[in-house]
Amino acid sequence: SASCSSYHTPETLRLSVAGMVIPLPAIPVPDGPPPPECQEDMKRLKWCVVAMIVFGLGRAIFAFLQNAISLDLWALVSLFISIVMGTFIFKDDEHLQSFYNCLSTTICSMCAEGRQGGLHCLVPFMMCTLINVAFDLLMHYQLFGYAPYGIFLVGSLIAQSVAVFFSYRVFKTLRGQSPDSGFEMGGGGGGGYARPGGADAPARANFEDGRAEQTAPSRGGGFVPFAGQGNRLGS
């Protein structure tokens, strides 16, 4: 079995926490329930979240019983955050709704009051869970054989990895369907013209084949350079 006393140092724990706290890009997703094309992947994702809860609970219990909690504390906190975000994705699901209600009335009441949840938690859940898997593989692989804690550690890693996979499948499907659902991201294409009140762009005038504007010859007595008679010097 692996030795737990010399596994981590405070510096490595600080690095793991710093790596998990990174800014996430604001990638919009459509509102409302997922389309029918996502139903199967969403169902599989839900059971991945349930597996994360089960293996995470066993991982925490045996970390306490086997005196490994000091090595796994911040990883368990990060796992719990991923579980919370996964539960908020399925806040209306029949199997996870009771757990969501428990979270929304206790430690996550501010998030619930802000109406956060549903598909808007998909990308943060996917990114944070991916980071958790990467750091667990890098920093906890020596504990895989530390049974029975190692069994739940490996189980939580597998559950999180599969959850990331199905999260990405759902996200890719949503992004592929965004134009049909009226969801468009702003872009700098052809630079359309818009007037207040929805008026159309003014019609082109005095243009030919999209080239420079054709200017009419000037009328009247305008200034014309080098048109005078002039005088010779010395005359």
Side-chain angles (χ1 to χ4, degrees), residues 128-183:
C128 289
T129 307
L130 178 62
I131 293 172
N132 292 345
V133 171
F135 276 92
D136 275 345
L137 287 174
L138 290 174
M139 307 182 70
H140 292 85
Y141 68 93
Q142 296 180 1
L143 296 178
F144 288 170
Y146 193 55
Y149 163 79
I151 297 174
F152 289 95
L153 172 61
V154 173
S156 65
L157 278 172
I158 295 175
Q160 291 180 89
S161 301
V162 179
V164 171
F165 173 73
F166 286 116
S167 298
Y168 177 73
R169 283 176 58 93
V170 172
F171 175 73
K172 187 169 64 172
T173 303
L174 293 175
R175 288 295 299 270
Q177 290 194 348
S178 58
D180 297 334
S181 60
F183 166 74

Side-chain angles (χ1 to χ4, degrees), residues 81-101:
I81 293 173
S82 290
I83 289 173
V84 168
M85 287 189 288
T87 304
F88 267 67
I89 294 175
F90 298 97
K91 62 179 182 177
D92 298 321
D93 183 80
E94 56 179 347
H95 298 101
L96 292 173
Q97 189 173 22
S98 58
F99 185 38
Y100 167 78
N101 292 334

Side-chain angles (χ1 to χ4, degrees), residues 14-199:
R14 285 194 294 269
L15 289 176
S16 65
V17 176
M20 293 176 187
V21 184
I22 61 173
L24 297 177
I27 305 177
V29 292
D31 292 321
E37 291 80 2
C38 296
Q39 292 299 326
E40 289 300 320
D41 288 334
M42 289 291 291
K43 190 179 299 183
R44 297 185 180 100
L45 178 59
K46 179 190 75 173
W47 291 115
C48 289
V49 175
V50 173
M52 288 169 58
I53 296 173
V54 173
F55 284 107
L57 183 61
R59 177 176 169 178
I61 292 174
F62 284 102
F64 275 106
L65 294 178
Q66 296 182 262
N67 297 322
I69 189 63
S70 61
L71 312 178
D72 205 23
L73 178 61
W74 291 111
L76 286 171
V77 171
S78 299
L79 175 60
F80 178 73
I81 293 173
S82 290
I83 289 173
V84 168
M85 287 189 288
T87 304
F88 267 67
I89 294 175
F90 298 97
K91 62 179 182 177
D92 298 321
D93 183 80
E94 56 179 347
H95 298 101
L96 292 173
Q97 189 173 22
S98 58
F99 185 38
Y100 167 78
N101 292 334
C102 178
L103 292 172
S104 63
T105 55
T106 54
I107 59 176
C108 299
S109 58
M110 294 183 63
C111 298
E113 291 173 359
R115 299 185 180 274
Q116 299 181 16
L119 293 175
H120 292 285
C121 292
L122 180 67
V123 174
F125 169 78
M126 179 175 62
M127 298 295 295
C128 289
T129 307
L130 178 62
I131 293 172
N132 292 345
V133 171
F135 276 92
D136 275 345
L137 287 174
L138 290 174
M139 307 182 70
H140 292 85
Y141 68 93
Q142 296 180 1
L143 296 178
F144 288 170
Y146 193 55
Y149 163 79
I151 297 174
F152 289 95
L153 172 61
V154 173
S156 65
L157 278 172
I158 295 175
Q160 291 180 89
S161 301
V162 179
V164 171
F165 173 73
F166 286 116
S167 298
Y168 177 73
R169 283 176 58 93
V170 172
F171 175 73
K172 187 169 64 172
T173 303
L174 293 175
R175 288 295 299 270
Q177 290 194 348
S178 58
D180 297 334
S181 60
F183 166 74
E184 296 181 358
M185 296 182 63
Y193 181 93
R195 282 186 172 183

Side-chain angles (χ1 to χ4, degrees), residues 201-216:
R204 287 186 179 180
N206 298 326
F207 279 75
E208 181 178 286
D209 296 333
R211 293 191 293 268
E213 185 177 1
Q214 304 294 320
T215 56

